[in-house]
Amino acid sequence: MNAAVSLYELTCRIRNAISTQLPGSYWVRAEISEGRQNANGHFYCRFIEKNAAGTDIASAAGIIWAGTYVTLRARFERETGQRFGAGIKVLVRVRINFHERYGLSLLVEDIDPSYTLGDMVRRRKEIIDKLTAEGVVNLNKQLVLPRLLLRIAVITSETAAGFGDFCNHLAHSGHMFNIKIKLFPAIMQGDKVEQSVINALNAVLAESKDWDAVVIIRGGGAVSDLNGFDTYLLAANVAQFPLPVITGIGHDRDETVLDLVANVRCKTPTAVADFLIESLSKELELLENCAATLKVCAQNKLNAQLQRMDSFVALIPLVFSRVIDKEKARYRILSERLPNAIQNVCRGECSRCERLVMRMEMNTKSMIANMQNRLLHVSERLQFVVPAVLSRQKQRLESCERGIRLAQPERVLKLGFSLTLKDGKAVTDASQLSPGDRIVTRLSNGEVTSRGHNKS
């Protein structure tokens, strides 16, 4: 059995082996899963790597000493515009360090900001490619904006400076337009942006008939503050939203995935206000031009009609004189033709009356002959039908008479039956009798009187 060694001796051997086999520094790709800066200014974090399924396949502690951390953090955030911390992918140069007490750690000496920028671009491209493959990336862009954008649903934080700038800009520049605005509050920074904005979109959808468009605005900040607008789920909701979506997120230089799928992308919240005012101003200018054109056309039409009326007025005396002459001539012709026409009509009516009298005489004779034939036929049928009917009725009466004789009470009593009476009424049920009641039993010959008694 080998001689035992102390834990300290073993860890010293491990440190020596690592320093011998892994000297120098290495560039490492990893994701910062957690990080904190202690009171001395040192930054402690944990580096991880995940596989395609999202499972952690490697993990190591990381340390950036205070002096190095200040320099690296400033350069990283200046070049990427993103806050250095957990949740980002980095390319760092590390030296492997093993301490007998604290174990293995990676000492960060340098960082390459371009790798993180490339990862951000890659992540955005993956989201856009997925939406494109699903056929929804341009759905909201294909919606036609209403010509009058007067009813606007605004999604932002109530306390955001961008919302105040938006409202103030509309109040000062769009005073001539009656723009209706309703705030649908949402968190615009942090890890709750996605779900909060989706909830606000659902609230707008519930009353979509009341709004012309949806505006999503947020003031500027660090690029990392806008990460919540670079998610697939939020982009998919906006891309498929049934109302046109207008975005104004961040500064001029900022562009999120949300901007890429929205119907209209403006640079800032005030730029969104300018877009709305400009759209309404164009419609107002178009209406004013149409009104001016309509006025000119109406005036030209009125002048033309006045000229035409003057021409008609000048023609009235001549036309009226011609009409009078024509009607006088027509009256003379009718006066000459009227006596002959009256005579012709009278002759025609006389002939018509004669024909009608002849037809009436013929129709009357024919109807009389038909009625005589019908009466003869009916009388012949009665000679056969009446005796048969009388015979059937006689047989029916005889049958009824036999039935009545068979049902006579006297006959029934002679057959051995009796009739029990109480107070002159027939008794058909024992429950009708009480003890001591006087009852009469009628037989075929005579009656029997008795008293009721209790049934044992």
Side-chain angles (χ1 to χ4, degrees):
M1 183 176 183
N2 295 331
V5 297
S6 68
L7 176 63
Y8 178 75
E9 290 175 331
L10 178 61
T11 54
C12 286
R13 292 181 184 180
I14 294 173
R15 182 188 63 184
N16 292 333
I18 290 175
S19 62
T20 300
Q21 297 298 322
L22 299 171
S25 57
Y26 301 86
W27 283 99
V28 177
R29 298 185 302 271
E31 178 181 339
I32 300 177
S33 66
E34 56 185 66
R36 61 180 179 83
Q37 186 178 11
N38 68 4
N40 296 327
H42 306 314
F43 183 79
Y44 293 90
C45 62
R46 177 158 293 278
F47 295 113
I48 61 171
E49 181 178 352
K50 298 180 179 180
N51 60 14
T55 305
D56 293 354
I57 57 175
S59 173
I63 304 174
I64 309 178
W65 301 126
T68 305
Y69 178 65
V70 171
T71 303
L72 294 186
R73 176 183 175 183
R75 179 159 63 92
F76 179 84
E77 294 185 354
R78 181 178 65 254
E79 295 186 20
T80 65
Q82 182 163 329
R83 183 178 293 111
F84 185 83
I88 60 173
K89 291 186 178 181
V90 293
L91 178 61
V92 291
R93 192 179 69 196
V94 299
R95 183 180 295 276
I96 302 173
N97 178 63
F98 187 87
H99 191 274
E100 291 83 352
R101 182 177 178 183
Y102 301 109
L104 181 70
S105 61
L106 303 179
L107 300 179
V108 178
E109 298 178 340
D110 198 1
I111 189 168
D112 184 0
S114 61
Y115 175 81
T116 303
L117 282 173
D119 181 69
M120 294 166 60
V121 172
R122 177 191 57 77
R123 188 166 64 245
R124 289 181 182 179
K125 184 176 184 301
E126 288 175 352
I127 294 174
I128 295 299
D129 289 345
K130 185 176 181 181
L131 294 173
T132 302
E134 294 172 354
V136 301
V137 70
N138 290 320
L139 289 182
N140 198 263
K141 292 182 179 295
Q142 293 171 0
L143 297 178
V144 179
L145 278 170
R147 295 183 60 177
L148 295 178
L149 292 169
L150 292 173
R151 305 175 302 166
I152 307 300
V154 180
I155 297 177
T156 188
S157 172
E158 186 175 5
T159 59
F163 180 55
D165 295 340
F166 174 79
C167 293
N168 292 333
H169 205 64
L170 284 181
H172 290 90
S173 303
H175 57 85
M176 69 179 68
F177 306 112
N178 184 22
I179 302 177
K180 175 186 175 183
I181 292 176
K182 180 179 178 181
L183 174 65
F184 290 81
I187 299 172
M188 306 303 284
Q189 183 172 332
D191 56 358
K192 296 182 180 180
V193 169
E194 178 185 72
Q195 191 58 50
S196 181
V197 175
I198 290 175
N199 291 340
L201 286 170
N202 291 335
V204 176
L205 183 62
E207 48 188 82
S208 58
K209 64 180 182 303
D210 297 330
W211 307 108
D212 299 321
V214 179
V215 166
I216 303 177
I217 54 177
R218 183 198 185 281
V223 174
S224 60
D225 294 338
L226 308 181
N227 286 343
F229 301 97
D230 286 331
T231 68
Y232 164 77
L233 190 58
L234 180 55
N237 272 267
V238 170
Q240 300 175 80
F241 202 71
L243 292 177
V245 177
I246 305 171
T247 59
I249 301 172
H251 297 301
D252 294 354
R253 67 178 183 275
D254 299 323
E255 184 177 52
T256 65
V257 174
L258 212 61
D259 294 319
L260 298 175
V261 299
N263 189 283
V264 176
R265 185 257 175 173
C266 298
K267 296 178 179 179
T268 62
T270 53
V272 175
D274 287 334
F275 173 79
L276 296 176
I277 294 168
E278 183 180 354
S279 298
L280 293 172
S281 298
K282 288 181 179 178
E283 290 300 320
L284 180 60
E285 182 181 356
L286 179 62
L287 288 175
E288 290 173 347
N289 292 337
C290 290
T293 303
L294 183 61
K295 182 179 179 181
V296 172
C297 292
Q299 189 62 50
N300 293 338
K301 187 71 173 177
L302 180 59
N303 293 335
Q305 292 298 325
L306 288 173
Q307 292 177 2
R308 188 181 178 198
M309 187 180 295
D310 291 340
S311 301
F312 286 157
V313 170
L315 291 173
I316 286 175
L318 178 60
V319 173
F320 188 69
S321 176
R322 291 179 178 176
V323 170
I324 291 176
D325 294 341
K326 185 177 180 180
E327 289 300 319
K328 285 180 178 180
R330 183 169 172 269
Y331 177 74
R332 285 195 301 268
I333 294 172
L334 290 175
S335 298
E336 295 173 354
R337 297 171 62 182
L338 185 59
N340 293 331
I342 293 174
Q343 291 178 3
N344 292 334
V345 171
C346 290
R347 283 195 296 268
E349 289 300 317
C350 289
S351 300
R352 181 168 172 271
C353 289
E354 292 175 356
R355 288 194 299 272
L356 287 174
V357 169
M358 293 175 63
R359 289 179 63 184
M360 288 179 64
E361 290 177 353
M362 294 175 63
N363 290 338
T364 302
K365 291 178 180 179
S366 176
M367 289 175 62
I368 291 172
N370 289 335
M371 293 304 294
Q372 288 176 345
N373 292 333
R374 287 183 63 186
L375 287 173
L376 180 61
H377 180 68
V378 169
S379 62
E380 291 176 353
R381 288 187 62 191
L382 285 175
Q383 291 177 2
F384 296 98
V385 171
V386 170
V389 171
L390 290 175
S391 176
R392 286 196 300 271
Q393 293 299 325
K394 182 178 179 181
Q395 293 175 2
R396 183 180 176 192
L397 287 173
E398 290 174 353
S399 176
C400 291
E401 184 179 0
R402 287 193 301 272
I404 290 172
R405 284 198 301 270
L406 292 174
Q408 283 181 346
E410 292 79 3
R411 183 178 180 278
V412 174
L413 293 176
K414 286 179 180 181
L415 293 176
F417 294 96
S418 63
L419 177 64
T420 303
L421 302 174
K422 174 188 173 184
D423 298 331
K425 297 181 180 179
V427 177
T428 60
D429 193 337
S431 62
Q432 294 178 252
L433 300 176
S434 301
D437 286 347
R438 180 178 178 275
I439 57 177
V440 176
T441 303
R442 183 175 294 174
L443 304 173
S444 175
N445 292 316
E447 298 178 346
V448 178
T449 301
S450 61
R451 295 282 180 179
H453 60 83
N454 292 331
K455 183 178 180 182
S456 56

